[in-house]
Amino acid sequence: MSNVPVAVVTGSNKGIGFAIVRALCKQFPGDVYLTARDPGRGQKAVAKLQEEGLCALFHQLDIDDLQSIRALRDFLKEKYGGLNVLVNNAGIAFKVHDTTPFAVQAEVTLKTNFFGTRNVCTELLPLVKPYGKVVNVSSMVSSSALGGCSRELQQKFRSNTITEDELVELMTKFVEDTKKSVHEKEGWPNTAYGVSKIGVTVLSRIQARMLNEKRKGDHILLNACCPGWVRTDMAGPQATKSPDEGAETPVYLALLPSDADGPHGQFLSNKTVRTW
Ligand code: NAP
């Protein structure tokens, strides 16, 4: 078994994830795994980094596919006995003018952004080694969407005692409410992407709390963040940040020094803790 530290970035064949891998290749003292659901796109991305003189390793990972997640988990367990850095970056967003019915957008978006990310955490968090770092890429849109929720929902999402099961129940209810066209009446904002990212931010707060309760001595730091508005296939060419700039906050959180006792359980943008 290798004692080399290991970092894993989900959805990193392009966009912000690719830029996070590029930065980690330069700064992380260990093996860096670029992962992609499509091995062809993943290998191509690794080759692109190689041309820049950077050495990333590849492993397939489709966060929508539990088997794929478990195959990565078993690989990490066997080869490294765990992992040191996990960046949950993979995500999807329908374009504003997409005509796909809202209920379908809600189901598809929540499936990857919330349920897929949660499944990765369920399988990989137990493997994170002492002093490890976990970064969940959320969005400022989670904050604005929270502001668009009913007072009752806001209270639940800001609660310091909400459980993961309760959060899953709420995310499932959103999808069900969109199918019945009652989501607005039920206090939800009109954004599937926004609700999925509320899920990611709140999940991060819960996971950090669980680490405090169950693995305090392991000094693992887990946070959610917004990369900013970044020029990628998702956000388009008008966005203000380059992918490398978008990677800055996630990479800052992934490389917090081992003697840091925070941030932990926070939501950050531009390397600054934001009020949730
Ligand atoms: P992007 O260019 O569209 O890249 C998204 C990445 O996620 C791609 O590599 C994509 O793979 C991958 N992905 C999607 N579904 C996946 C799945 N089921 N399993 C594994 N990988 C999957 O988007 P981006 O702008 O870099 O976004 C990265 C993250 O930042 C997302 O979580 C996004 O919500 C968040 N974010 C972005 C912005 C922005 O302005 N760009 C702002 C706030 C937050 P394929 O190539 O196979 O599709």
Side-chain angles (χ1 to χ4, degrees):
M1 196 184 290
S2 169
N3 255 337
V4 173
V6 59
V8 173
V9 184
T10 72
S12 46
N13 54 288
K14 66 176 185 178
I16 298 163
F18 180 73
I20 293 171
V21 169
R22 175 190 278 133
L24 289 179
C25 282
K26 293 177 186 168
Q27 298 173 58
F28 179 73
D31 289 352
V32 181
Y33 278 85
L34 183 155
T35 67
R37 53 182 160 182
D38 180 87
R41 287 197 285 274
Q43 297 287 7
K44 233 178 166 170
V46 168
K48 205 169 146 193
L49 288 173
Q50 211 153 27
E51 281 168 25
E52 298 177 21
L54 299 171
C55 182
L57 298 161
F58 175 72
H59 202 285
Q60 193 273 348
L61 176 65
D62 180 345
I63 71 164
D64 289 345
D65 176 0
L66 204 48
Q67 264 188 359
S68 165
I69 298 172
R70 289 182 173 156
L72 175 64
R73 175 201 65 189
D74 293 345
F75 167 80
L76 292 168
K77 215 189 232 173
E78 199 171 306
K79 176 143 195 219
Y80 299 93
L83 79 164
N84 303 81
V85 168
L86 171 64
V87 182
N88 281 303
N89 163 82
I92 59 157
F94 282 82
K95 301 286 178 217
V96 182
H97 298 296
D98 196 303
T99 54
T100 306
F102 188 67
V104 177
Q105 293 198 20
E107 182 149 43
V108 171
T109 307
L110 273 278
K111 182 180 177 194
T112 299
N113 294 5
F114 178 71
F115 292 103
T117 300
R118 172 176 180 254
N119 285 341
V120 173
C121 290
T122 304
E123 300 299 331
L124 295 191
L125 282 192
L127 262 65
V128 175
K129 294 184 180 182
Y131 297 93
K133 312 285 181 291
V134 181
V135 185
N136 295 330
V137 180
S138 184
S139 169
M140 286 304 279
V141 174
S142 68
S143 297
S144 50
L146 179 68
C149 288
S150 66
R151 199 184 278 259
E152 192 190 334
L153 279 175
Q154 285 191 35
Q155 216 163 42
K156 289 181 179 165
F157 289 132
R158 289 201 175 98
S159 155
N160 288 324
T161 53
I162 183 173
T163 64
E164 193 169 320
D165 285 347
E166 285 165 349
L167 176 62
V168 166
E169 220 169 275
L170 283 167
M171 292 291 118
T172 306
K173 181 176 186 305
F174 169 69
V175 175
E176 293 309 314
D177 285 349
T178 63
K179 287 182 186 164
K180 294 181 269 177
S181 294
V182 298
H183 62 283
E184 284 181 289
K185 197 179 119 251
E186 292 294 310
W188 297 101
N190 218 6
T191 157
Y193 179 78
V195 171
S196 76
K197 291 300 189 179
I198 289 177
V200 173
T201 303
V202 176
L203 182 67
S204 309
R205 288 160 56 87
I206 295 168
Q207 289 167 339
R209 222 174 60 217
M210 288 302 111
L211 285 171
N212 288 346
E213 284 176 21
K214 302 206 164 107
R215 297 182 63 187
K216 190 73 188 161
D218 284 348
H219 304 279
I220 295 165
L221 298 178
L222 182 153
N223 292 284
C225 69
C226 177
W229 191 31
V230 184
R231 290 187 294 279
T232 62
D233 287 347
M234 182 182 286
Q238 305 301 326
T240 46
K241 286 187 181 183
S242 69
D244 289 333
E245 289 167 336
E248 280 174 17
T249 296
V251 170
Y252 156 73
L253 291 170
L255 296 177
L256 287 168
S258 55
D259 60 354
D261 54 8
H264 177 58
Q266 303 291 340
F267 173 65
L268 294 88
S269 68
N270 284 329
K271 300 185 191 170
T272 307
V273 172
R274 307 291 167 186
T275 309
W276 177 246

